[in-house]
Amino acid sequence: QVQLVESGGGLVQPGGSLRLACTASEFSLNDYAIGWFRQAPGREREGVSCISSEVGSTYYADSVKDRSTISRDNAKNTVYLQINSLQHEDTAVYYCAAVRDSHPFCMSYQYDYWGQGTQVTVSS
């Protein structure tokens, strides 16, 4: 019955920003580590950013570090991923995922529950 829903994707010009949101029904995201992953056509799914369930330790892929922020809003039961300075290479379907492990690595095989994804397209 675990259901994750992503939102906030869309068409953005290079240099623009997006804030993606991940929400859950029927359970609290506070109890889960949350990961953001993306998959572009012809490429493997890769970890973008992950946040632990204990003290909020975070991970960012080299490709997005210094321009991204992952955060929790406990009151809204939502995890956000803000990405600034978007580039063509950021175009992908972005997925959020959850696992009860307190501090996993940001690898897709570690996550048990997945949303359906939200499309991010960076284009002029």
Side-chain angles (χ1 to χ4, degrees), residues 90-105:
D90 295 315
T91 295
V93 178
Y94 284 70
Y95 301 88
C96 69
V99 65
R100 291 193 66 89
D101 288 1
S102 60
H103 198 341
F105 295 110

Side-chain angles (χ1 to χ4, degrees), residues 12-112:
V12 187
Q13 294 184 346
S17 299
L18 282 176
R19 188 178 70 165
L20 307 180
C22 177
T23 61
S25 61
E26 302 182 8
F27 72 98
S28 174
L29 292 179
N30 299 340
D31 301 325
Y32 293 80
I34 303 297
W36 282 97
F37 300 83
R38 67 185 181 187
Q39 188 165 22
R43 301 180 63 181
E44 296 294 322
R45 188 169 298 183
E46 63 176 344
V48 179
S49 182
C50 296
I51 186 168
S52 73
S53 62
E54 41 185 32
V55 296
S57 299
T58 58
Y59 161 88
Y60 299 95
D62 289 341
S63 59
V64 301
K65 65 172 56 176
D66 300 326
R67 61 187 181 98
S68 297
T69 303
I70 188 169
S71 61
R72 294 179 181 269
D73 187 332
N74 293 335
K76 297 181 179 179
N77 198 32
T78 300
V79 175
Y80 298 99
L81 178 65
Q82 175 81 28
I83 309 180
N84 303 317
S85 301
L86 286 160
Q87 305 169 8
H88 292 292
E89 293 75 20
D90 295 315
T91 295
V93 178
Y94 284 70
Y95 301 88
C96 69
V99 65
R100 291 193 66 89
D101 288 1
S102 60
H103 198 341
F105 295 110
C106 205
M107 301 292 291
S108 61
Y109 73 86
Q110 299 176 295
Y111 289 78
D112 296 322

